Amino acid sequence: MAVLAGALTVVGGGYAMLAPASGADDTAVTSKDVEAGRQLYNNSCITCHGANLEGVPGRGPTIVGTGSADVYFQVSTGRMPAPVQGAWELRKVPKYNEQEILQLGAFVQSKGGGPEVPPANADLRAGAAELGEGGELYRLNCAACHGATGHGAPLSAGKIAPDLYRATDLQIYTAMQVGPENMPVFADNQITPEQKRAIIGYVQAMKESKDPGGAGLGRIGPVAEGLVIWTAGMGVLMVSILWIGARL
């Protein structure tokens, strides 16, 4: 018994000394973060979402169970706090900084759980080797609403699918986790974290690619180019005909 107790003491003590140095996460949520988030919530969110996150009829829906991921997407893109309810929320300059957004998310997470924001050191973007897979997944799951080139498109009932050209890796990832507005939720059993990384890698590579031939024209290929040539060409031709007719 003495030998066993001594061995457990040595192993436990050694782990306690080494674990903070090797595995500590500076981004771990603390009670101070939750309390700071509660104050932010009471200042800007409680009027529409209620004291217990249950929502207020005519003002805002419940956010119980939406998690810190939903808070991050909505607040980091400036969609929340929203001045009024509408069919969709326009992206704006965020009201809070990154730390405050994470604190607000920590408070909401502590109340009802839900999808969480990935750790700050998480790699959310796949490399060049996965671009083909990412493109296939994007065309299958995203292009119908956001467009083949990520420029966004109008939807029904006055809603829109926004463009992806200002979205960060974390904003795209959290959007897939929670499905904001008309967007469906892509849970990990539908699109795995590795596939999400592939999609993000493809979207960001598409955004960063150049247009060596000139103006991109929405990057939807010869349709846009033909329309511009036809419209401009016919306009020039009509002006030329009228000018020639006036001269004669």
Side-chain angles (χ1 to χ4, degrees), residues 24-245:
D25 183 3
D26 293 336
T27 63
V29 175
T30 66
S31 58
K32 291 183 179 179
D33 292 325
V34 174
E35 176 58 24
R38 183 187 68 80
Q39 295 177 9
L40 291 168
Y41 181 88
N42 289 340
N43 289 338
S44 298
C45 313
I46 194 171
T47 303
C48 295
H49 295 293
N52 296 311
L53 285 68
E54 75 280 10
V56 177
R59 293 185 181 178
T62 177
I63 54 174
V64 174
T66 58
S68 58
D70 188 51
V71 173
Y72 185 86
F73 174 80
Q74 298 287 359
V75 181
S76 70
T77 59
R79 290 176 167 86
M80 293 291 155
V84 294
Q85 281 191 309
W88 56 281
E89 294 297 335
L90 182 67
R91 184 186 181 109
K92 302 179 291 292
V93 177
K95 181 177 179 180
Y96 299 115
N97 59 39
E98 189 80 1
Q99 181 182 10
E100 291 171 330
I101 294 170
L102 294 175
Q103 290 172 339
L104 185 57
F107 170 72
V108 173
Q109 187 76 38
S110 71
K111 286 293 185 182
E116 296 187 64
V117 174
N121 58 354
D123 183 11
L124 301 179
R125 186 188 305 190
E130 288 78 26
L131 283 182
E133 179 188 8
E136 183 178 350
L137 290 166
Y138 176 86
R139 289 186 290 273
L140 181 63
N141 297 284
C142 316
C145 294
H146 292 285
T149 57
H151 277 78
L155 304 176
S156 61
K159 300 179 179 181
I160 68 164
D163 71 85
L164 303 177
Y165 277 71
R166 293 171 288 176
T168 65
D169 293 356
L170 187 51
Q171 288 169 350
I172 298 175
Y173 193 93
T174 52
M176 286 190 282
Q177 284 182 297
V178 301
E181 298 182 3
N182 254 28
M183 182 173 171
V185 176
F186 294 109
D188 289 348
N189 60 348
Q190 295 172 294
I191 298 181
T192 66
E194 291 73 22
Q195 291 174 326
K196 288 183 175 74
R197 293 178 63 251
I199 292 174
I200 293 171
Y202 173 76
V203 170
Q204 302 296 25
M206 181 170 55
K207 287 160 52 175
E208 294 166 1
S209 61
K210 306 299 182 182
D211 296 303
L217 300 178
R219 288 186 175 180
I220 56 176
V223 174
E225 296 169 2
L227 178 62
V228 170
I229 292 172
W230 175 264
T231 304
M234 288 297 293
V236 172
L237 183 60
M238 292 301 298
V239 170
S240 300
I241 292 173
L242 292 173
W243 181 79
I244 293 172

